[in-house]
């Protein structure tokens, strides 16, 4: 039988198929090379284990809490603290922290301004009418473990600023809507607002 000459299409087909594969490989290599030059996102919870730190350079935010400014000066998640954590907080004139409780010891050192500590009951099924305990600059006070409380800047003109030292970080906070809310209905917020970017896994109970 007489053989037929190969058509041009038959000759070109495999050659173009090979070129297509080489082109796809080259394109993939270009994408990989370009990705190497893309900016890398900063971590949402940068760690800082330096011995000396500048508070002015630390992250400060209200974390959605109106009238509050929070800085974690020395924290478990950002700085590797094991037993205690230190916060610097500022409450605007007339504003209050949420009503809350937590299963850790807490010490306040008042740096500026004056205010009122509202302290609820643990002997009732709900916090009840809180004690109102005034404090001022250079005061220090402690909040008993699991006592519901709130800090109120009762000065209408000046900011209130204080250091907070807590034990057993990171803190696990239970929030109350009001002073009549039962303790059993308080809402657990963990990780708390300033720890959300640093801690995704739940902490073991007590």
């Amino acid at each position: 039988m007489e053989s037929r000459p190969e058509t041009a299409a038959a000759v070109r087909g495999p050659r173009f198929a090979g070129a297509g594969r080489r082109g796809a490989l080259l394109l993939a290599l270009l994408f990989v090379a370009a990705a190497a030059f893309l900016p890398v996102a900063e971590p949402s919870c940068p760690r800082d284990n330096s011995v000396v730190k500048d508070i002015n350079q630390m992250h400060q935010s209200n974390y959605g809490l109106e009238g509050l400014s929070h800085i974690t000066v020395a924290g478990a998640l950002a700085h590797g603290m094991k037993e205690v954590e230190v916060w610097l907080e500022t409450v605007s004139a007339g504003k209050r922290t949420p009503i809350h409780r937590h299963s850790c010891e807490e010490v306040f050192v008042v740096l500026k301004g004056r205010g009122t500590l509202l302290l609820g009951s643990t002997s009732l099924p709900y916090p009840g009418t809180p004690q109102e305990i005034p404090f001022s600059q250079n005061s220090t006070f402690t909040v008993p473990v699991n006592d519901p409380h709130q800090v109120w800047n009762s000065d209408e003109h000046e900011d209130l600023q204080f250091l907070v030292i807590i034990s057993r970080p990171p803190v696990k906070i239970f929030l109350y809507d009001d002073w009549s809310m039962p303790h059993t209905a308080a809402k657990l917020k963990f990780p708390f607002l300033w720890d959300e970017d640093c801690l995704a896994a739940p902490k073991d109970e007590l």
Side-chain angles (χ1 to χ4, degrees):
M1 176 184 285
E2 183 182 353
S3 61
R4 295 182 180 179
E6 294 183 349
T7 64
V11 173
R12 287 197 304 267
R15 200 174 293 166
F16 280 146
R21 286 193 293 270
R22 288 194 297 272
L25 179 59
L26 180 59
L27 188 60
L29 289 173
L30 286 173
F31 275 124
V32 171
F37 292 96
L38 291 176
V40 177
E42 289 294 325
S44 55
C45 180
R47 268 60 176 176
D48 182 0
N49 294 319
S50 55
V51 176
V52 178
K53 305 174 185 67
D54 183 350
I55 290 178
N56 293 321
Q57 301 301 317
M58 291 182 169
H59 180 67
Q60 177 175 334
S61 174
N62 67 358
Y63 296 94
L65 299 174
E66 183 184 358
L68 177 70
S69 171
H70 172 94
I71 298 174
T72 299
V73 177
L77 302 176
H79 310 112
M81 302 295 290
K82 303 297 185 186
E83 304 296 336
V84 297
E85 191 160 288
V86 181
W87 306 334
L88 176 62
E89 298 195 326
T90 305
V91 182
S92 300
K95 300 297 183 181
R96 305 171 184 237
T97 67
I99 305 170
H100 64 285
R101 63 178 168 86
H102 34 68
S103 56
C104 62
E105 296 172 313
E106 185 173 31
V107 179
F108 288 78
V109 180
V110 184
L111 305 177
K112 183 177 76 170
R114 60 189 180 90
T116 303
L117 171 65
L118 305 177
L119 196 60
S121 170
T122 54
S123 60
L124 299 173
Y126 50 86
T129 303
Q131 302 178 62
E132 297 191 9
I133 306 168
F135 59 82
S136 57
Q137 184 175 349
N138 295 327
S139 297
T140 182
F141 56 91
T142 59
V143 175
V145 173
N146 277 324
D147 275 16
H149 59 284
Q150 180 181 56
V151 176
W152 169 31
N153 182 354
S154 44
D155 191 313
E156 294 296 328
H157 306 287
E158 185 180 8
D159 285 351
L160 169 65
Q161 189 174 68
F162 47 80
L163 287 172
V164 180
I165 301 94
I166 64 160
S167 64
R168 305 181 62 198
V171 67
K172 178 184 291 186
I173 291 182
F174 291 84
L175 298 169
Y176 294 78
D177 293 336
D178 52 50
W179 295 100
S180 62
M181 188 175 194
H183 296 303
T184 54
K187 304 179 186 80
L188 172 63
K189 177 60 178 170
F190 182 82
F192 201 61
L193 301 172
W194 40 79
D195 288 333
E196 282 182 332
D197 289 337
C198 300
L199 185 68
K203 179 183 176 185
D204 291 338
E205 280 288 344
L206 301 182

